[in-house]
Amino acid sequence: MYSSMDKLKKALSGDDGDEDKGIVTQISDASTLSWSTRIKGFLICFVLGAGLSILGSCLLFLPNGLIIFAVLYTIGNILSLVSTCFLMGPLNQLKKMFATTRIIATILVFVMIILTLVFAFATKIKGLVIVFCVLQFLALTWYSISYIPFARDAVKKCFAACIE
């Protein structure tokens, strides 16, 4: 890894030693954030996302608050999901999201986000929008625990024990 001064020296001297690197690697090297900046970005996005979801939930009971609720709740969940890009990096996050172990969970999250917004704007049926928000939350929770080793198995066993 080169320091900023080394990169500047290479650029000014006309040294094209990075040509053998791919464009993605070059962009990644140029946009690397420090760990403290990554933590701050994660916390800001996550707290903002949680705040928007809570605010949306509070506004649900206002007259005509259904669409505002659905939009703020969904944007809040998306921001919370995007916050992890600061920790892993966007490309690594996308690779992990669409890995075989969590592809179905990822698709379910996006489907529930879309259905929440479609039902909020198209039908304006409060009960259905709330159901899809709950399903959105559950899908995001299922997706999130896929990053914790054996967490899905533990949840499945817990629910199986409750049903028996």
Short mmCIF file of all heavy atoms in Angstrom, two decimals, residues 120-148:
data_model
loop_
_atom_site.label_atom_id
_atom_site.label_comp_id
_atom_site.label_asym_id
_atom_site.label_seq_id
_atom_site.Cartn_x
_atom_site.Cartn_y
_atom_site.Cartn_z
N ALA A 120 -48.48 0.93 -0.20
CA ALA A 120 -48.69 2.25 0.39
C ALA A 120 -49.20 3.24 -0.65
O ALA A 120 -50.13 4.01 -0.39
CB ALA A 120 -47.40 2.76 1.02
N PHE A 121 -48.59 3.22 -1.83
CA PHE A 121 -48.95 4.19 -2.86
C PHE A 121 -50.18 3.76 -3.66
O PHE A 121 -51.01 4.59 -4.02
CB PHE A 121 -47.78 4.44 -3.82
CG PHE A 121 -46.71 5.32 -3.24
CD1 PHE A 121 -45.55 4.77 -2.73
CD2 PHE A 121 -46.87 6.69 -3.19
CE1 PHE A 121 -44.56 5.58 -2.18
CE2 PHE A 121 -45.89 7.50 -2.64
CZ PHE A 121 -44.74 6.94 -2.14
N ALA A 122 -50.30 2.47 -3.97
CA ALA A 122 -51.36 2.01 -4.86
C ALA A 122 -52.68 1.73 -4.13
O ALA A 122 -53.73 2.18 -4.57
CB ALA A 122 -50.91 0.76 -5.61
N THR A 123 -52.63 0.98 -3.04
CA THR A 123 -53.88 0.58 -2.41
C THR A 123 -54.26 1.46 -1.22
O THR A 123 -55.43 1.62 -0.93
CB THR A 123 -53.80 -0.88 -1.90
OG1 THR A 123 -52.88 -0.95 -0.83
CG2 THR A 123 -53.44 -1.82 -3.02
N LYS A 124 -53.25 1.97 -0.52
CA LYS A 124 -53.46 2.80 0.68
C LYS A 124 -54.28 2.08 1.75
O LYS A 124 -55.00 2.70 2.52
CB LYS A 124 -54.09 4.13 0.30
CG LYS A 124 -53.19 4.99 -0.58
CD LYS A 124 -53.84 6.31 -0.88
CE LYS A 124 -52.93 7.23 -1.61
NZ LYS A 124 -52.83 7.07 -3.02
N ILE A 125 -54.16 0.75 1.78
CA ILE A 125 -54.83 -0.04 2.81
C ILE A 125 -53.87 -0.17 3.98
O ILE A 125 -52.86 -0.86 3.89
CB ILE A 125 -55.26 -1.42 2.27
CG1 ILE A 125 -56.21 -1.25 1.10
CG2 ILE A 125 -55.88 -2.25 3.38
CD1 ILE A 125 -56.53 -2.54 0.37
N LYS A 126 -54.20 0.52 5.07
CA LYS A 126 -53.29 0.62 6.21
C LYS A 126 -52.87 -0.74 6.75
O LYS A 126 -51.69 -0.97 7.02
CB LYS A 126 -53.94 1.45 7.32
CG LYS A 126 -52.99 1.82 8.44
CD LYS A 126 -53.66 2.68 9.49
CE LYS A 126 -53.60 4.12 9.06
NZ LYS A 126 -54.04 5.05 10.11
N GLY A 127 -53.81 -1.67 6.89
CA GLY A 127 -53.49 -2.98 7.43
C GLY A 127 -52.47 -3.73 6.60
O GLY A 127 -51.54 -4.34 7.13
N LEU A 128 -52.64 -3.69 5.26
CA LEU A 128 -51.69 -4.40 4.38
C LEU A 128 -50.31 -3.75 4.42
O LEU A 128 -49.29 -4.44 4.40
CB LEU A 128 -52.22 -4.42 2.95
CG LEU A 128 -53.28 -5.46 2.65
CD1 LEU A 128 -53.80 -5.32 1.23
CD2 LEU A 128 -52.75 -6.86 2.87
N VAL A 129 -50.27 -2.43 4.47
CA VAL A 129 -48.98 -1.74 4.52
C VAL A 129 -48.25 -2.12 5.81
O VAL A 129 -47.05 -2.40 5.80
CB VAL A 129 -49.16 -0.22 4.40
CG1 VAL A 129 -47.83 0.51 4.61
CG2 VAL A 129 -49.75 0.15 3.04
N ILE A 130 -48.97 -2.16 6.91
CA ILE A 130 -48.35 -2.54 8.19
C ILE A 130 -47.86 -3.98 8.14
O ILE A 130 -46.76 -4.30 8.61
CB ILE A 130 -49.32 -2.30 9.36
CG1 ILE A 130 -49.53 -0.80 9.54
CG2 ILE A 130 -48.80 -2.92 10.64
CD1 ILE A 130 -50.62 -0.42 10.52
N VAL A 131 -48.67 -4.87 7.54
CA VAL A 131 -48.24 -6.27 7.39
C VAL A 131 -46.95 -6.36 6.59
O VAL A 131 -46.01 -7.07 6.97
CB VAL A 131 -49.37 -7.12 6.74
CG1 VAL A 131 -48.83 -8.46 6.25
CG2 VAL A 131 -50.51 -7.32 7.71
N PHE A 132 -46.86 -5.61 5.48
CA PHE A 132 -45.65 -5.66 4.68
C PHE A 132 -44.46 -5.00 5.37
O PHE A 132 -43.32 -5.42 5.17
CB PHE A 132 -45.88 -5.08 3.27
CG PHE A 132 -46.60 -6.04 2.38
CD1 PHE A 132 -47.88 -5.78 1.96
CD2 PHE A 132 -46.00 -7.23 1.98
CE1 PHE A 132 -48.56 -6.68 1.14
CE2 PHE A 132 -46.66 -8.13 1.18
CZ PHE A 132 -47.95 -7.86 0.76
N CYS A 133 -44.71 -4.02 6.22
CA CYS A 133 -43.61 -3.44 7.01
C CYS A 133 -43.10 -4.46 8.03
O CYS A 133 -41.89 -4.57 8.23
CB CYS A 133 -44.07 -2.17 7.72
SG CYS A 133 -44.11 -0.75 6.64
N VAL A 134 -44.02 -5.19 8.64
CA VAL A 134 -43.61 -6.25 9.58
C VAL A 134 -42.82 -7.32 8.83
O VAL A 134 -41.77 -7.78 9.30
CB VAL A 134 -44.84 -6.85 10.31
CG1 VAL A 134 -44.46 -8.10 11.07
CG2 VAL A 134 -45.45 -5.81 11.24
N LEU A 135 -43.32 -7.71 7.65
CA LEU A 135 -42.60 -8.71 6.85
C LEU A 135 -41.24 -8.17 6.40
O LEU A 135 -40.26 -8.92 6.34
CB LEU A 135 -43.44 -9.13 5.64
CG LEU A 135 -44.68 -9.96 5.98
CD1 LEU A 135 -45.53 -10.18 4.72
CD2 LEU A 135 -44.31 -11.27 6.63
N GLN A 136 -41.18 -6.88 6.10
CA GLN A 136 -39.90 -6.24 5.74
C GLN A 136 -38.93 -6.34 6.91
O GLN A 136 -37.76 -6.69 6.74
CB GLN A 136 -40.17 -4.78 5.38
CG GLN A 136 -38.98 -4.02 4.88
CD GLN A 136 -39.32 -2.56 4.60
OE1 GLN A 136 -38.55 -1.71 4.99
NE2 GLN A 136 -40.43 -2.26 3.98
N PHE A 137 -39.41 -6.05 8.11
CA PHE A 137 -38.59 -6.14 9.32
C PHE A 137 -38.10 -7.57 9.53
O PHE A 137 -36.93 -7.80 9.82
CB PHE A 137 -39.38 -5.65 10.54
CG PHE A 137 -38.67 -5.88 11.84
CD1 PHE A 137 -37.65 -5.04 12.24
CD2 PHE A 137 -39.01 -6.96 12.64
CE1 PHE A 137 -36.98 -5.26 13.43
CE2 PHE A 137 -38.35 -7.19 13.84
CZ PHE A 137 -37.33 -6.34 14.24
N LEU A 138 -39.01 -8.53 9.40
CA LEU A 138 -38.63 -9.94 9.60
C LEU A 138 -37.62 -10.40 8.55
O LEU A 138 -36.67 -11.12 8.87
CB LEU A 138 -39.88 -10.83 9.59
CG LEU A 138 -40.83 -10.66 10.77
CD1 LEU A 138 -42.10 -11.46 10.55
CD2 LEU A 138 -40.16 -11.01 12.08
N ALA A 139 -37.83 -9.98 7.29
CA ALA A 139 -36.88 -10.35 6.23
C ALA A 139 -35.51 -9.74 6.50
O ALA A 139 -34.48 -10.40 6.32
CB ALA A 139 -37.41 -9.91 4.87
N LEU A 140 -35.49 -8.49 6.94
CA LEU A 140 -34.21 -7.83 7.24
C LEU A 140 -33.54 -8.47 8.45
O LEU A 140 -32.32 -8.62 8.48
CB LEU A 140 -34.45 -6.34 7.49
CG LEU A 140 -33.23 -5.43 7.50
CD1 LEU A 140 -32.45 -5.55 6.19
CD2 LEU A 140 -33.63 -4.00 7.73
N THR A 141 -34.34 -8.90 9.42
CA THR A 141 -33.78 -9.59 10.58
C THR A 141 -33.18 -10.93 10.17
O THR A 141 -32.06 -11.28 10.57
CB THR A 141 -34.87 -9.80 11.66
OG1 THR A 141 -35.38 -8.52 12.03
CG2 THR A 141 -34.31 -10.51 12.87
N TRP A 142 -33.91 -11.69 9.35
CA TRP A 142 -33.42 -12.98 8.87
C TRP A 142 -32.13 -12.79 8.07
O TRP A 142 -31.17 -13.55 8.21
CB TRP A 142 -34.49 -13.68 8.04
CG TRP A 142 -34.14 -15.08 7.69
CD1 TRP A 142 -33.81 -15.55 6.45
CD2 TRP A 142 -34.08 -16.21 8.56
NE1 TRP A 142 -33.55 -16.89 6.51
CE2 TRP A 142 -33.71 -17.33 7.79
CE3 TRP A 142 -34.30 -16.38 9.92
CZ2 TRP A 142 -33.56 -18.59 8.35
CZ3 TRP A 142 -34.15 -17.64 10.46
CH2 TRP A 142 -33.78 -18.72 9.68
N TYR A 143 -32.11 -11.77 7.22
CA TYR A 143 -30.91 -11.45 6.45
C TYR A 143 -29.75 -11.11 7.40
O TYR A 143 -28.64 -11.59 7.23
CB TYR A 143 -31.18 -10.27 5.50
CG TYR A 143 -29.94 -9.66 4.93
CD1 TYR A 143 -29.29 -10.23 3.84
CD2 TYR A 143 -29.39 -8.51 5.49
CE1 TYR A 143 -28.13 -9.68 3.34
CE2 TYR A 143 -28.24 -7.95 4.98
CZ TYR A 143 -27.61 -8.55 3.91
OH TYR A 143 -26.46 -8.00 3.41
N SER A 144 -30.02 -10.28 8.40
CA SER A 144 -28.96 -9.83 9.31
C SER A 144 -28.36 -10.97 10.12
O SER A 144 -27.14 -11.02 10.31
CB SER A 144 -29.51 -8.76 10.27
OG SER A 144 -29.93 -7.63 9.54
N ILE A 145 -29.21 -11.89 10.59
CA ILE A 145 -28.65 -12.98 11.40
C ILE A 145 -27.88 -13.99 10.56
O ILE A 145 -27.17 -14.82 11.11
CB ILE A 145 -29.72 -13.68 12.27
CG1 ILE A 145 -30.75 -14.41 11.42
CG2 ILE A 145 -30.34 -12.73 13.25
CD1 ILE A 145 -31.69 -15.28 12.23
N SER A 146 -27.99 -13.87 9.24
CA SER A 146 -27.20 -14.78 8.39
C SER A 146 -25.71 -14.50 8.51
O SER A 146 -24.89 -15.33 8.13
CB SER A 146 -27.64 -14.65 6.93
OG SER A 146 -27.23 -13.43 6.36
N TYR A 147 -25.35 -13.34 9.06
CA TYR A 147 -23.94 -13.01 9.25
C TYR A 147 -23.39 -13.56 10.56
O TYR A 147 -22.19 -13.52 10.79
CB TYR A 147 -23.73 -11.49 9.21
CG TYR A 147 -23.84 -10.93 7.82
CD1 TYR A 147 -25.04 -10.41 7.35
CD2 TYR A 147 -22.75 -10.93 6.96
CE1 TYR A 147 -25.14 -9.90 6.07
CE2 TYR A 147 -22.84 -10.42 5.68
CZ TYR A 147 -24.04 -9.91 5.24
OH TYR A 147 -24.15 -9.41 3.97
N ILE A 148 -24.26 -14.05 11.43
CA ILE A 148 -23.83 -14.60 12.71
C ILE A 148 -23.78 -16.12 12.57
O ILE A 148 -24.80 -16.74 12.24
CB ILE A 148 -24.81 -14.20 13.83
CG1 ILE A 148 -24.93 -12.68 13.91
CG2 ILE A 148 -24.36 -14.80 15.17
CD1 ILE A 148 -26.07 -12.21 14.79
#
